[in-house]
Amino acid sequence: MSSTQFRPRLGRYLAILPLTLALSACVTTEYTAPTADTAAAFATGAPARSANGAWWLSFQDRTMDGLITTALARNLSIHEAVAAIDEAGAGVAAARAASLPQASAGAGATRGDSQGSGAITESTSATLSTSWMFDIFGGNRSARAAAIAELEASKLSEEAARRAVTAAVATTYIDLRYYQQSIALTRQSISSRRETLRLTQDMLEVGQASRLDVLQAEQAVAQAEASLPVLETGFDQAVNRLATLTASRTATLRPQLQKGGAQPSARSKPSVGFPADVIRARPDVQIAERGLAAAVARIGVAEAEFWPSVSLSGSIRPMNVRGGGAPTSWSFGPAINLPIFTGGANRANLKAAESRAVQAHIRWQAEVLDAVEEVENGLSAWRRGGTNVAAQRKLVSTAQETVTLARDAWQAGQTDFFTVLDAERTALTARTALAGAVRDQATAYVAVSIAAAAPMK
């Protein structure tokens, strides 16, 4: 029996209690988790292996491992997500309490002349009251289901926070090593260009070079030196970012990171599994599904408002407690609240709840599509990155050999000085581009691993 077949009508309340008991089984909102329509495999032909939650171990970089371990233990975003779980747990407890009997007690005492006779009278009283709302139409059950779904979503939010922090630490560390490598390459280039400048000045003195050659050599040195501050700023910002992510002090991290190290490069291929496995493992998709479950449960809460509520209440009130022997009043019995006319509020609330459920389902569908897209994009970037790294390595080798030949030819008087400067600029550009290609491939590995990794806990 569908809940949409029942709507409040005045005639239905004529024999309200038997009717409510008969209909209580019909007023429920059933929820079935949606199934994602995904392809059997990713379009990029990724290896169908189980994704590893600790994917960063593939880099075999102890410094990165230590930073990630520290961030997972100390990052404030993760601690905030854990606190949100406690809040959601309190929401579940509050929803459960609504289905339990409620009791309260009170006491009072008076002293005075009630009839103006001058005689002082005293009286005391105590009251014990209890009430219990019967959840005949499932309003409280639906509220509990929504609260539980929200609690589960909060737990998944911690997993999402852990993934985001891990990715941020890894990519920032990759950037830091890139800046370090670029700074080292630039300094090497500055040293090489200064040596070229010295040779040019020596050749000017013996008449083998012109003043223009010297000016061009000085310009080449200045250009290399001008590019250094930008790279040093990038390194400083990466250190500061890592300090924030690990809740550490920059002054503590800097000495460790300034020691230098090779640019991170994954030692294995990314493991992503099948699309259906990815969808099941993604916390953002699961959060969206739990949000949908909560929204559907809220429809049940809104539907229950159309129907009568039945409660059982009672109270005991002894009078003149201190004097004894005074009469005691008591009451006990059921009460029915009939929502005969609400001005359309209940219908509007139900429509709003149904609309929120539709929106939640759309959000879940969008999360599924985004998850697949992120894996596909990450795999494509990682594969293309490998091709780019190989090409850049070849270009660096060729550019370095060109510099050597250009210098020899210039010193032998077989070419002009501009050829040497051009070869040096090309070599620096090639080596810097190689460092960027290594960074891009490592970053792509992080992206695809985060998009497809198994839960970290």
Side-chain angles (χ1 to χ4, degrees), residues 70-71 73-76 79 241-249 253:
T70 302
R74 301 173 59 178
N75 184 267
L76 299 182
H79 288 314
R241 181 60 181 156
L242 287 172
T244 299
L245 291 170
T246 58
S248 305
R249 293 181 178 178
L253 282 182

Side-chain angles (χ1 to χ4, degrees), residues 146-345:
I148 291 173
E150 291 166 353
L151 172 60
E152 292 168 345
S154 295
K155 293 179 179 179
L156 291 166
S157 295
E158 181 191 0
E159 169 67 15
R162 293 171 69 86
R163 290 192 182 212
V165 168
T166 303
V169 172
T171 53
T172 304
Y173 179 75
I174 290 169
D175 286 343
L176 180 140
R177 292 306 187 199
Y178 160 76
Y179 285 120
Q180 263 186 334
Q181 178 70 3
S182 298
I183 290 170
L185 291 174
T186 302
R187 286 174 176 168
Q188 290 174 14
S189 177
I190 291 173
S191 177
S192 175
R193 294 183 185 192
R194 284 175 177 170
E195 177 62 21
T196 300
L197 174 60
R198 186 188 64 80
L199 291 174
T200 306
Q201 291 171 336
D202 292 343
M203 295 178 69
L204 175 63
E205 293 179 357
V206 297
Q208 295 181 353
S210 66
R211 176 60 181 167
L212 178 60
D213 291 336
V214 174
L215 291 175
Q216 288 177 330
E218 291 177 346
Q219 184 181 23
V221 172
Q223 287 175 340
E225 290 176 339
S227 64
L228 197 57
V230 175
L231 299 173
E232 291 173 335
T233 299
F235 174 82
D236 291 341
Q237 291 176 344
V239 174
N240 295 335
R241 181 60 181 156
L242 287 172
T244 299
L245 291 170
T246 58
S248 305
R249 293 181 178 178
T250 300
T252 303
L253 282 182
R254 183 178 292 276
Q256 173 190 1
L257 298 174
Q258 277 183 329
K259 294 178 181 179
Q263 284 188 263
S265 179
R267 302 297 193 271
S268 62
K269 297 179 179 179
S271 300
V272 298
F274 297 100
D277 298 331
V278 171
I279 297 305
R280 283 192 293 268
R282 292 271 299 219
D284 51 350
V285 175
Q286 296 179 61
I287 290 172
E289 185 276 327
R290 289 291 79 198
L292 173 60
V296 172
R298 297 295 180 192
I299 294 177
V301 176
E303 288 178 331
E305 294 297 324
F306 282 91
W307 302 97
S309 59
V310 179
S311 61
L312 187 64
S313 62
S315 65
I316 301 176
R317 184 172 184 176
M319 301 298 295
N320 198 13
V321 177
R322 295 174 57 186
T328 299
S329 63
W330 61 274
S331 63
F332 182 79
I336 300 177
N337 178 40
L338 308 178
I340 297 176
F341 179 72
T342 61

Side-chain angles (χ1 to χ4, degrees), residues 11-20:
R12 292 179 179 173
Y13 301 145
L14 297 179
I16 192 64
L17 186 57
L19 184 59
T20 56

